[in-house]
Amino acid sequence: MIGNTLAQYKVVDALGVGGMGEVWRAEDTKLGRVVALKVLPEEFARDPERMARFEREAKVLASLNHPNIATLYGLESVTSGTETGTETVFLAMELVEGEDLSERINRGAVPVEEAVAISLQIAEGLEAAHEQGIVHRDLKPANIKLRSDGTVKVLDFGLAKAWETDHGDSSLSLSPTMTAHATQAGVILGTAAYMSPEQAAGVSADRRADIWAFGVVLWEMLTGHKLFEGETVSHVLAAVLKDEVDLEELPEETPPKLRALIARCLRKKPRERLQAIGDARIVLEEPMDSTELPEDGEAM
């Protein structure tokens, strides 16, 4: 791929491989900017229904404009070869330089003040998306970039939903590994350790699934280790569904308000969970040493 040109984008380097395809650094030859290209699996382009759905979702995602959300520039397709007519489908996205949050956590637990600053920006990005009806569905440290100037960017917003099939059992589209309808390669939709209990159970999920994942990410930052672990995906999903969260594992210096926020984000039942990420944003904006609770009292 390096040196090839897809539409107006010249590929210059490999960035990695994810569940939805290969990611490349490329130069936008028309606008003179560097972008990230996510090239989707070949089977995807062969399915008109999936392509139509993905295009609809991409249009919605491209409308998101927030400083804490990496921008989706567009969904493109190019055909190469006069005989085979091979089609390459890719997303052109904002390239965010810096380490991802998983790399930061691998160096050790994140101090409370830093964790609060990062979480606040994540919450602001989620809130902006939720207000437009867009749910991330795959929030995890690897999808959160930390720029050198302190800006936090959430990547791959809503792509999990765009990836789902229009028909078939909903449990397939919400399970950690899809095995039907053009997913023979075993596409990972969501990551087991950050899935909400409703996602793990294969039932319909809404923005409260993002609130759960937000709580898991915040926990991981403060403790330096994953909340749910296991030998296999099945073991992890079982832990998500059954294991109770032990708040005593949080560092002693974790402020009570932050403990309460994490506890409310990690309620197993969506109805008992924090209902809006904006409520988390309000808590994170206030001084952590404050004992004042939100007006509704029960929100935290």
Side-chain angles (χ1 to χ4, degrees):
M1 283 286 290
I2 295 177
N4 290 349
T5 299
L6 300 175
Q8 70 204 54
Y9 304 101
K10 183 177 180 180
V11 179
V12 297
D13 197 9
L15 292 176
V17 179
M20 297 181 200
E22 301 170 334
V23 187
W24 303 86
R25 180 192 299 267
E27 178 187 349
D28 185 334
T29 58
K30 286 187 178 180
L31 299 178
R33 62 184 175 187
V34 179
V35 302
L37 300 184
K38 180 162 290 190
V39 180
L40 304 179
E42 188 177 336
E43 311 89 58
F44 189 90
R46 298 175 186 165
D47 188 332
E49 289 184 19
R50 298 291 298 285
M51 274 294 297
R53 178 185 177 90
F54 205 90
E55 186 173 6
R56 290 196 303 271
E57 294 295 337
K59 287 179 180 178
V60 175
L61 299 176
S63 69
L64 280 178
N65 182 17
H66 191 274
N68 297 121
I69 298 175
T71 304
L72 172 63
Y73 296 135
L75 172 64
E76 307 281 350
S77 64
V78 294
T79 303
S80 60
T82 55
E83 295 183 3
T84 60
T86 303
E87 187 174 18
T88 301
V89 181
F90 62 93
L91 295 161
M93 314 176 76
E94 175 186 1
L95 176 63
V96 183
E97 303 284 7
E99 67 177 354
D100 64 45
L101 184 55
S102 66
E103 294 170 318
R104 169 62 188 87
I105 294 172
N106 284 340
R107 299 204 311 268
V110 181
V112 170
E113 185 176 354
E114 184 182 350
V116 168
I118 293 172
S119 299
L120 176 57
Q121 293 188 63
I122 297 170
E124 289 176 337
L126 287 173
E127 185 177 15
H130 289 177
E131 286 175 351
Q132 295 194 41
I134 299 172
V135 180
H136 194 293
R137 296 175 183 234
D138 193 20
L139 185 70
K140 57 188 176 183
N143 277 338
I144 298 165
K145 279 278 194 173
L146 310 177
R147 289 197 338 192
S148 59
D149 65 358
T151 302
V152 177
K153 292 268 190 176
V154 182
L155 312 181
D156 288 355
F157 239 106
L159 291 185
K161 180 180 180 182
W163 194 256
E164 291 173 13
T165 176
D166 269 331
H167 53 76
D169 188 346
S170 63
S171 64
L172 285 176
S173 64
L174 292 171
S175 64
T177 303
M178 295 173 64
T179 56
H181 195 56
T183 59
Q184 292 85 348
V187 175
I188 299 298
L189 245 195
T191 303
Y194 305 96
M195 278 187 169
S196 65
E198 57 269 28
Q199 285 175 295
V203 299
S204 179
D206 55 25
R207 64 186 185 182
R208 292 171 294 186
D210 281 352
I211 292 173
W212 169 277
F214 174 82
V216 175
V217 170
L218 181 49
W219 170 286
E220 188 169 331
M221 278 195 282
L222 293 171
T223 64
H225 66 81
K226 287 184 172 58
L227 177 55
F228 300 105
E229 297 184 280
E231 296 179 4
T232 67
V233 169
S234 296
H235 286 99
V236 175
L237 293 180
V240 170
L241 288 167
K242 296 180 180 179
D243 290 0
E244 292 300 324
V245 176
D246 183 5
L247 296 177
E248 295 304 314
E249 289 189 37
L250 291 169
E252 289 184 10
E253 63 271 21
T254 305
K257 287 181 66 172
L258 202 54
R259 288 176 181 268
L261 174 61
I262 293 171
R264 203 58 191 262
C265 289
L266 296 178
R267 295 286 181 90
K268 299 284 188 184
K269 296 181 179 179
R271 289 184 61 187
E272 298 175 359
R273 200 175 301 153
L274 196 69
Q275 298 296 293
I277 195 65
D279 292 336
R281 191 245 319 146
I282 292 171
V283 172
L284 294 167
E285 286 176 332
E286 297 172 343
M288 280 295 116
D289 57 0
S290 170
T291 58
E292 185 179 349
L293 292 175
E295 289 185 5
D296 61 12
E298 308 243 339
M300 292 293 105

